[in-house]
Amino acid sequence: IYYGILLALFFYNLILWLMLRDASYFWYMFHISAFGLVLFCLNGLAFEYLWPNNIWLQDKAVPLSICLAQIGMQQFARVFLGLRERWRLGDIGCIVMIGFFFLWGLASMLLPYRVATPVASAAVLPSVAWIAAVTFVTLRRGYRPAALFLLAWGVFLLGTATFTLVAFGVLPKMFITEYGVQIGSAMEMILL
């Protein structure tokens, strides 16, 4: 069901991007695709269906897809919130985050899984916090669409933060914490 929602919303945003040429739809598709790949890899489905018997690619795909998802998330926030015009410092912060994830994505192709994946995963929390911060600032500066953005992304960011905290053993593994990221991201995609 989750991957069906993801595919439907990918194609919906693809059509919107092709018709409207609004960059936010492109970056949202980019994020949806990369985030879907993260979960596809972590659930073992990518290894089973896309690249069976390729352990090297499976090891590299996890941290790389995490980095790509974060690049898409940061860039979508920049474009949707109009940070370049509304809060230049927030825009620069997003660019720094994008630069970090770009460089770490490249490094993850050379580093072992045990190094690349924990760093990429841990970097998700500051990335999530930064998006929440820039959204609050733009909302306080009077940009009303930031309220919907905050609602939609709040559910997703909560699920992502929960998933990351489970991965590091801070929260216990249970249905809601283990699948919170899928639940949160599906709700976010539907709202946006």
Side-chain angles (χ1 to χ4, degrees):
I1 292 171
Y2 174 77
Y3 293 109
I5 291 170
L6 191 131
L7 278 173
L9 291 172
F10 172 85
F11 286 113
Y12 173 72
N13 282 282
L14 175 64
I15 291 167
L16 288 174
W17 176 64
L18 290 173
M19 300 300 283
L20 302 175
R21 296 293 181 195
D22 182 339
S24 62
Y25 292 110
F26 172 80
W27 289 111
Y28 192 63
M29 279 185 333
F30 184 91
H31 168 69
I32 287 173
S33 302
F35 188 74
L37 184 59
V38 170
L39 295 179
F40 214 57
C41 290
L42 290 176
N43 292 336
L45 298 172
F47 185 69
E48 184 176 350
Y49 294 112
L50 298 180
W51 45 75
N53 304 321
N54 193 336
I55 296 169
W56 180 88
L57 185 56
Q58 178 66 13
D59 281 352
K60 302 307 176 190
V62 172
L64 180 60
S65 61
I66 290 171
C67 291
L68 290 173
Q70 292 304 306
I71 290 169
M73 184 188 299
Q74 290 290 333
Q75 185 61 19
F76 176 68
R78 285 184 69 225
V79 172
F80 184 86
L81 297 172
L83 292 177
R84 184 178 292 156
E85 298 81 28
R86 289 185 181 83
W87 189 34
R88 189 69 182 135
L89 182 60
D91 189 50
I92 291 168
C94 287
I95 291 169
V96 168
M97 290 278 187
I98 290 168
F100 167 78
F101 283 108
F102 177 79
L103 292 174
W104 194 254
L106 291 177
S108 71
M109 299 305 290
L110 303 172
L111 295 169
Y113 181 88
R114 71 182 185 285
V115 174
T117 302
V119 171
S121 298
V124 168
L125 287 176
S127 178
V128 164
W130 184 251
I131 288 176
V134 297
T135 305
F136 277 119
V137 170
T138 55
L139 182 60
R140 290 194 40 101
R141 290 185 176 196
Y143 186 57
R144 295 179 60 92
L148 174 61
F149 184 86
L150 186 60
L151 173 66
W153 283 87
V155 176
F156 170 69
L157 298 177
L158 180 63
T160 301
T162 302
F163 183 76
T164 304
L165 292 172
V166 167
F168 284 99
V170 176
L171 292 176
K173 244 185 193 184
M174 57 176 80
F175 181 81
I176 194 69
T177 58
E178 192 166 350
Y179 293 103
V181 72
Q182 281 108 327
I183 295 165
S185 69
M187 291 175 67
E188 170 261 328
M189 287 184 244
I190 291 167
L191 284 169
L192 286 177

